[in-house]
C-alpha cells in the first residue's frame, strides 16, 4: 500500500478548513471529496489528481478488495484516523469514513473559444450549491464545452456542490467570471469578444420565445441563467441574442433554475447549429 501514516492534528485541521472555508481551498488550490463510490471512481480515472486519502480503520477493514487494491496502487499517501476524528472533520451527517484531498483542475478558456463550435452555459449569481452542482452535472451529461459562473455564485468546490456534481468537476471545464460592479457589466464581454451568441432564459419578457419555437441555434452558443430569485442582471440581459422561456402549467409559478437549465441543455443540445442568429 502507498505510504501509510496516522493523520496528525495539523492535517486534520487543514482538511476541516478545506471543507468549511473557500479561502482555504483557494489558497491550497485543493478541495475534498467524500464517500466510497466517488473516491473509487476518482482512483480509477483521476488518481494523479489525488494529493492524500484519509480513511478510518473500520472503513478500511470493511472495504471491498477493489478499493483496497486501488489504494495500494495509487500514488497518494494514505492517512489513518479514528472514527471520532473523522466525524469532526467530515462535512456529511453520516460519514462513510473515507475522503480524498484533490487538486483543483485548471482549464484553458482560450482553447475552448478557439474551437469552431461552442456550446456552453453561463450562470449569474447562482448561490444555491445544490443548483450549481446539478447544473454542472447536467452540463457534463449533455456534452457542453464548458460552464461559466459569475464570481458571486456558489464556489464550485464547496462540499455541497462537489457532492451534487458526482465527480464531473474533474472532467468539465468550469470558469469563474469576474463581474464588473453591481450589475455584472463585464460578465459577458468574453462571450461577445469570441463571437458567442447569448441565449437568455427569461420567462417574464414579452420578447421571450417559447423554447419549442426555436429550431436551430448559432454554432457558438452560450445559454444564460440568472439568480434563483432575481434572474439575470440588466447588463447581461442587454447582451441577449435571443430570449427564451419554458412553458409550464398555470398551476406552477416557475421552475427551479437547475430544472430549467437541464431542460434547456437537453433541448438545445439536439438542435442543428448554424452560423446565423436564430
Amino acid at each position: 500500500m502507498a505510504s501509510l501514516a496516522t493523520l496528525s492534528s495539523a492535517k486534520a485541521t487543514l482538511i476541516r478548513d478545506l471543507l468549511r472555508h473557500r479561502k482555504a481551498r483557494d489558497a491550497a488550490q485543493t478541495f475534498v471529496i467524500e464517500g466510497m463510490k466517488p473516491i473509487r471512481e476518482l482512483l480509477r480515472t483521476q488518481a494523479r489528481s489525488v494529493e492524500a486519502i484519509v480513511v478510518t480503520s473500520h472503513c478500511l477493514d470493511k472495504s471491498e478488495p477493489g478499493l483496497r487494491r486501488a489504494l495500494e496502487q495509487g500514488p497518494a499517501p494514505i492517512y489513518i484516523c479514528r472514527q471520532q476524528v473523522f466525524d469532526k472533520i467530515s462535512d456529511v451527517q453520516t460519514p462513510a469514513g473515507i475522503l480524498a484531498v484533490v487538486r483543483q483542475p485548471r482549464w484553458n478558456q482560450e482553447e475552448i473559444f478557439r474551437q469552431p463550435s461552442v456550446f456552453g452555459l453561463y450562470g449569474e449569481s447562482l448561490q444555491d450549491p445544490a443548483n450549481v452542482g446539478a447544473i454542472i452535472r447536467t452540463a457534463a451529461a449533455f456534452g457542453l464545452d464548458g460552464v461559466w459562473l459569475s464570481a458571486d455564485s456558489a464556489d464550485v468546490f464547496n462540499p455541497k456542490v462537489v457532492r451534487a456534481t458526482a465527480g464531473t468537476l474533474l472532467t468539465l471545464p468550469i470558469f469563474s467570471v469576474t463581474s464588473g460592479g453591481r450589475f455584472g457589466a463585464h460578465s459577458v464581454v468574453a462571450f461577445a469578444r469570441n463571437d458567442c451568441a447569448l441565449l437568455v432564459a427569461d420567462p417574464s419578457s414579452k420578447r421571450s420565445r417559447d423554447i419549442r419555437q426555436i429550431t436551430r441555434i448559432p454554432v457558438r452558443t452560450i445559454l444564460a441563467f440568472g439568480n434563483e430569485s432575481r434572474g439575470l442582471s440588466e447588463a447581461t440581459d442587454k447582451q441577449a441574442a435571443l430570449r427564451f422561456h419554458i412553458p409550464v402549467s398555470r398551476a406552477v409559478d416557475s421552475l427551479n433554475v437547475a430544472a430549467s437549465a437541464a431542460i434547456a441543455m437537453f433541448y438545445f443540445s439536439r438542435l442543428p447549429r448554424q452560423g446565423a442568429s436564430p
Side-chain angles (χ1 to χ4, degrees), residues 49-69:
S49 296
V50 182
E51 291 203 345
I53 290 176
V54 177
V55 62
T56 64
S57 298
H58 177 68
C59 178
L60 197 58
D61 290 342
K62 71 174 184 178
S63 63
E64 60 186 42
L67 178 62
R68 293 181 67 92
R69 283 195 298 271

Side-chain angles (χ1 to χ4, degrees), residues 25-210:
R25 293 190 291 269
D26 289 346
Q29 288 295 289
T30 58
F31 67 104
V32 177
I33 292 178
E34 293 195 61
M36 192 83 71
K37 184 177 179 180
I39 290 176
R40 185 165 55 240
E41 182 65 15
L42 180 66
L43 292 171
R44 187 181 70 83
T45 61
Q46 302 277 347
R48 296 197 175 277
S49 296
V50 182
E51 291 203 345
I53 290 176
V54 177
V55 62
T56 64
S57 298
H58 177 68
C59 178
L60 197 58
D61 290 342
K62 71 174 184 178
S63 63
E64 60 186 42
L67 178 62
R68 293 181 67 92
R69 283 195 298 271
L71 291 173
E72 291 170 359
Q73 297 167 4
I78 301 168
Y79 298 94
I80 297 288
C81 75
R82 292 179 292 111
Q83 187 65 49
Q84 297 93 321
V85 174
F86 197 96
D87 290 345
K88 290 180 180 179
I89 62 177
S90 173
D91 186 66
V92 298
Q93 287 188 342
T94 309
I98 186 169
L99 61 78
V101 178
V102 186
R103 284 189 295 278
Q104 296 181 8
R106 298 192 178 194
W107 305 100
N108 189 330
Q109 180 176 253
E110 297 308 314
E111 284 185 2
I112 294 177
F113 286 138
R114 281 197 293 267
Q115 296 175 177
S117 65
V118 177
F119 184 44
L121 181 143
Y122 169 58
E124 187 173 87
S125 303
L126 302 183
Q127 295 170 347
D128 185 330
N131 284 339
V132 171
I135 287 170
I136 291 170
R137 184 176 183 180
T138 306
F142 292 133
L144 270 68
D145 296 305
V147 168
W148 286 259
L149 295 168
S150 63
D152 59 346
S153 292
D155 176 22
V156 297
F157 301 111
N158 176 297
K160 292 180 181 178
V161 176
V162 172
R163 287 195 292 274
T165 60
T168 53
L169 274 178
L170 296 172
T171 60
L172 177 71
I174 304 169
F175 305 97
S176 178
V177 178
T178 301
S179 60
R182 183 180 175 190
F183 297 107
H186 302 299
S187 295
V188 294
V189 166
F191 304 135
R193 189 172 61 237
N194 289 279
D195 299 319
C196 292
L198 207 64
L199 272 58
V200 166
D202 186 356
S204 60
S205 172
K206 293 182 179 179
R207 294 173 291 174
S208 180
R209 292 171 60 182
D210 184 323

Side-chain angles (χ1 to χ4, degrees), residues 119 138-139 141-144 211 217 221 223 261-273:
F119 184 44
T138 306
F142 292 133
L144 270 68
I211 193 172
I217 60 174
T221 289
L223 308 180
I263 293 169
M265 283 187 275
F266 171 72
Y267 181 81
F268 288 124
S269 68
R270 300 166 62 247
L271 295 183
R273 303 179 194 180

